[in-house]
Amino acid sequence: MSVNLAKGQQISLTKSGGGELTVVRMGLGWQAARKGFFARMTAREIDLDASALLFAGKEAVDVVFFQHLTSDDGSVRHTGDNRVGGAGQGGDDESIVVDLQRVPVHVDQIVFTVNSFTGQTFEEVDNAFCRLVDETNGQELARYTLTGGGKHTAQIMAKVYRSGGGWQMSAIGTPAEGRTFQDLMPAVVPHL
């Protein structure tokens, strides 16, 4: 059963039947907002980009995004860049797969961000979401809705982090400005 996350809400990444999750997928989906009678002819393509920032404490140690599809250690993998979004059918347009068992012990947080590479604000995006899926069985664990407008070009979506002997997920949902993950770094730091 999936949990609809609210900003700041946290969930444990422990399987309902016991045991730890081993591989999770953070999926991102969206479509361009179409408003008015001539919307089909005038809607611009929107290129949202998902990124995963790997931290050891407050120090960024690696990043996975459309130009660096796999972390240096191989534990985090981006499935590829989608430059236009979907048709609003609810599927993932971009995904980042995290093998939690392979994440190096010094990496204690992975922050997921989304930014509008083409510069449109979230007012121009419909049906945007991020979701966490148990990659071993395809079960959606949590969903965070990104749609809701706003004059921002990016969001710090969520993070997974080590807690005790396992992993937790926290929905962040903080608006930010920037076309790339590098632009978002100052806004990410307060969430570490």
Side-chain angles (χ1 to χ4, degrees):
M1 170 156 61
S2 180
V3 174
N4 286 320
L5 290 176
K7 183 176 177 176
Q9 185 177 355
Q10 299 178 10
I11 63 167
S12 172
L13 297 186
T14 303
K15 290 186 176 188
S16 57
E20 296 293 321
L21 291 172
T22 56
V23 181
V24 295
R25 175 172 33 98
M26 181 64 72
L28 168 66
W30 77 93
Q31 72 180 120
R34 302 186 191 290
K35 297 178 179 146
F37 183 72
F38 295 104
R40 256 183 217 267
M41 294 182 281
T42 60
R44 299 184 325 176
E45 292 179 347
I46 295 177
D47 180 7
L48 295 185
D49 289 324
S51 301
L53 312 171
L54 287 71
F55 288 89
K58 293 189 183 279
E59 180 183 346
V61 294
D62 204 351
V63 63
V64 174
F65 70 115
F66 70 91
Q67 289 184 329
H68 185 243
L69 294 176
T70 304
S71 62
D72 294 339
D73 58 62
S75 66
V76 182
R77 183 178 49 85
H78 195 299
T79 60
D81 192 18
N82 180 322
R83 297 182 180 169
V84 297
Q89 302 301 317
D92 298 336
D93 295 313
E94 290 193 12
S95 294
I96 298 175
V97 178
V98 180
D99 185 337
L100 295 169
Q101 294 179 321
R102 290 184 57 204
V103 173
V105 69
H106 70 283
V107 173
D108 58 357
Q109 301 178 78
I110 303 172
V111 178
F112 296 94
T113 64
V114 59
N115 54 274
S116 174
F117 188 74
T118 44
Q120 291 99 330
T121 68
F122 277 82
E123 290 176 321
E124 299 175 67
V125 179
D126 272 344
N127 300 323
F129 64 87
C130 70
R131 67 189 191 125
L132 190 70
V133 176
D134 180 346
E135 195 68 356
T136 61
N137 62 16
Q139 179 184 0
E140 182 176 291
L141 304 169
R143 177 176 288 257
Y144 183 65
T145 301
L146 298 168
T147 301
K151 294 183 182 282
H152 51 279
T153 58
Q155 281 205 14
I156 302 156
M157 299 188 308
K159 72 176 180 176
V160 292
Y161 60 96
R162 294 184 193 271
S163 176
W167 289 87
Q168 299 276 326
M169 177 186 173
S170 177
I172 299 172
T174 298
E177 293 298 327
R179 293 181 54 235
T180 66
F181 77 86
Q182 294 98 326
D183 298 336
L184 302 179
M185 290 303 281
V188 168
V189 171
H191 300 285
L192 299 176

